[in-house]
Amino acid sequence: MAEQTRDKNDSRLTERGRVTRERILRAAADMMYVRGVSATTLDEVRAASGTSKSQLYRHYPDKDALVRDVVALQAAELLKRQHQLLQRLNSLRGLERWRDVLIEHNALRNGAYGCPLGSLAGELADQDEEAREALARHFDTWEGLLEAGLERMKDSGVLRADADAEELATGLMAALQGGYLLAQTAQDVKPMRIALDMAIGHVRAYAMPARGASPAEDPSER
């Protein structure tokens, strides 16, 4: 799972200190998600979190340290939700429910802001190698949850044995991230739905016919 956000001196922090650090981190994560990393300054984070300069710099001596913890926080929370959605994935209908949850959540913002991890990756991948490596690990974990679900679908006979779960999971993740980007640009979730529908349609092409069904029958309800 995702790396845990933690100050190097966390064990020596008082409870009040931990609360302050958490307040700083949450303020930074919210601002960086909505405004972007580059547009968020430490002074703005300090003001939004209601902390003094000395408090801020005690926990985060520079912006890079804060960004690394924001990446870890966003990943931990996103992957926890995805684990809950995907840990029992074993059907095409389950895959569609996963799609519906993501789209409905993004529709609350009219598609704005994009994926919490994808947005960070878009800004940091070419600028911060440590952050890029961390983000790559988090995406691998997310994709691995999809791959495990697809493997369960193969094992239970929902998908054909020749379905490549790893490639299908990569395709689903690419469609999701591309869909997030297009929805963010259009401020409309329709492109995200189309992208995911096409990716799930590709998975459905590997579905085994239901027992007793004629070749013309659609196995997608399995």
Side-chain angles (χ1 to χ4, degrees):
M1 295 300 290
E3 298 168 359
Q4 298 297 313
T5 59
R6 183 176 179 180
D7 191 289
K8 291 180 180 179
N9 298 317
D10 184 62
S11 62
R12 287 179 284 176
L13 285 176
T14 63
E15 180 60 26
R16 185 176 179 180
R18 282 189 287 272
V19 169
T20 299
R21 183 172 66 86
E22 178 72 10
R23 191 166 70 249
I24 293 168
L25 182 56
R26 290 284 174 183
D30 289 345
M31 294 181 74
M32 289 178 185
Y33 180 47
V34 174
R35 301 177 56 185
V37 174
S38 61
T40 300
T41 68
L42 289 180
D43 281 343
E44 289 168 332
V45 171
R46 180 190 58 75
S49 60
T51 52
S52 66
K53 284 190 176 182
S54 62
Q55 287 175 311
L56 175 65
Y57 287 107
R58 178 189 176 193
H59 296 286
Y60 294 106
D62 55 46
K63 187 175 178 179
D64 288 344
L66 180 56
V67 168
R68 285 192 289 271
D69 269 9
V70 167
V71 169
L73 174 68
Q74 294 284 37
E77 296 190 339
L78 183 149
L79 291 173
K80 179 180 179 180
R81 293 192 300 270
Q82 289 300 301
H83 180 72
Q84 292 169 344
L85 290 170
L86 296 170
Q87 63 181 333
R88 294 186 179 87
L89 175 65
N90 60 7
S91 68
L92 288 165
R93 184 68 193 105
L95 200 56
E96 291 168 348
R97 285 194 291 268
W98 169 76
R99 171 206 62 196
D100 292 344
V101 169
L102 290 170
I103 291 172
E104 287 168 10
H105 186 265
N106 206 27
L108 296 175
R109 304 183 181 92
N110 295 321
Y113 316 136
C115 171
L117 286 188
S119 297
L120 289 169
E123 282 199 78
L124 299 173
D126 294 331
Q127 301 176 16
D128 186 329
E129 182 61 14
E130 184 175 342
R132 184 200 65 77
E133 290 177 353
L135 285 160
R137 290 193 298 272
H138 299 320
F139 276 115
D140 283 345
T141 299
W142 193 354
E143 193 171 314
L145 294 172
L146 285 165
E147 182 180 346
L150 293 166
E151 287 288 0
R152 286 191 291 273
M153 292 164 70
K154 289 175 62 178
D155 292 342
S156 62
V158 174
L159 297 180
R160 300 198 313 260
D162 64 330
D164 189 320
E166 182 178 1
E167 287 191 1
L168 291 173
T170 299
L172 286 165
M173 183 59 66
L176 174 60
Q177 292 304 316
Y180 266 124
L181 179 61
L182 292 176
Q184 181 180 8
T185 303
Q187 295 204 349
D188 185 344
V189 296
K190 183 179 178 181
M192 183 179 178
R193 179 178 290 278
I194 291 171
L196 285 172
D197 282 349
M198 292 184 71
I200 292 174
H202 183 60
V203 175
R204 188 177 289 111
Y206 287 93
M208 292 284 287
R211 290 182 180 180
S214 67
E217 291 183 24
D218 185 357
S220 63
E221 292 302 316
R222 297 192 66 191

